[in-house]
Amino acid sequence: MKRKAVFPGSFDPITLGHYDIIERGLTLFDEIILAIGVNSDKKYMFSLEQRKQFLEDTFKDEPRIKVMTYKGLTIDFCKEQESEFILRGLRNPGDFEFEKAIAHTNRKLSGIETVFLLTSSGKSYISSSIVRDVIRNGGDCSGLVPDVVEPCAIKIWKEIQAKAK
């Protein structure tokens, strides 16, 4: 039986931290579904289409990765995709405490196990919110995100500057 994991997130945008977890996750799973959660109450920097395209372009040469979107509970999406695992990355103790409660709830409700991977030490400081802040302020995000994100980030920064005038 194929070992399939769902790696859920908003990926707004995908970071090199996400990339690290996904690449290392491929050593554990036969397939990973990058699942972009859709939350109409949340304001995103990048559109759903852009985020999906970033993921597809970043992993275009990796046939074991699928990119999908979903609404609702992650465990319901896992069941629909016949995945018994959720993959999550941990950067620090705060992430662990937050993710642990969700993992226990998911297992109690569905039996789906969460597999945690620690981010590589050189990537543990990277978060999507920090990347968005760098972009908003015109900083260089090239060492924080896959190459496919950077041109779009520059465009967004220029739009922010134009609105500010």
Side-chain angles (χ1 to χ4, degrees):
M1 185 171 165
K2 280 175 55 170
R3 294 175 70 87
K4 188 188 303 187
V6 169
F7 185 25
S10 61
F11 302 103
D12 188 34
I14 180 175
T15 69
L16 293 180
H18 293 127
Y19 184 87
D20 173 60
I21 296 297
I22 295 161
E23 285 289 307
R24 290 174 38 233
L26 285 170
T27 66
L28 302 173
F29 299 103
D30 300 308
E31 181 181 325
I32 297 176
I33 299 171
L34 305 181
I36 306 170
V38 177
N39 181 345
S40 58
D41 296 334
K42 194 170 176 184
K43 181 145 174 51
Y44 297 102
M45 176 173 274
F46 297 94
S47 71
L48 179 61
E49 294 74 24
Q50 288 171 315
R51 291 179 282 140
K52 190 169 190 251
Q53 194 66 56
F54 292 156
L55 293 170
E56 289 170 347
D57 290 350
T58 299
F59 295 102
K60 67 182 181 296
D61 296 325
E62 181 46 75
R64 297 179 298 153
I65 291 182
K66 283 189 199 172
V67 179
M68 303 177 79
T69 62
Y70 74 101
K71 292 180 180 174
L73 294 175
T74 301
I75 55 173
D76 291 340
F77 179 75
C78 289
K79 289 176 191 173
E80 289 168 16
Q81 299 306 314
E82 299 178 346
S83 172
E84 297 177 358
F85 302 97
I86 295 172
L87 176 63
R88 298 298 293 160
L90 300 173
R91 294 170 300 197
N92 55 51
D95 281 357
F96 174 72
E97 289 302 323
F98 176 76
E99 294 288 346
K100 179 177 75 167
I102 295 169
H104 284 313
T105 304
N106 286 342
R107 189 174 54 208
K108 181 162 180 66
L109 294 176
S110 67
I112 293 171
E113 288 289 348
T114 301
V115 175
F116 296 113
L117 292 180
L118 299 177
T119 54
S120 299
S121 60
K123 310 272 188 303
S124 62
Y125 66 94
I126 303 172
S127 70
S128 292
S129 57
I130 287 173
V131 170
R132 289 191 304 272
D133 198 43
V134 168
I135 293 168
R136 263 193 294 278
N137 290 287
D140 179 7
C141 67
S142 62
L144 306 173
V145 296
D147 293 342
V148 299
V149 176
E150 196 174 357
C152 197
I154 292 168
K155 181 179 174 218
I156 285 182
W157 180 75
K158 288 179 179 178
E159 289 170 2
I160 291 169
Q161 293 305 300
K163 287 179 185 175
K165 290 183 180 179

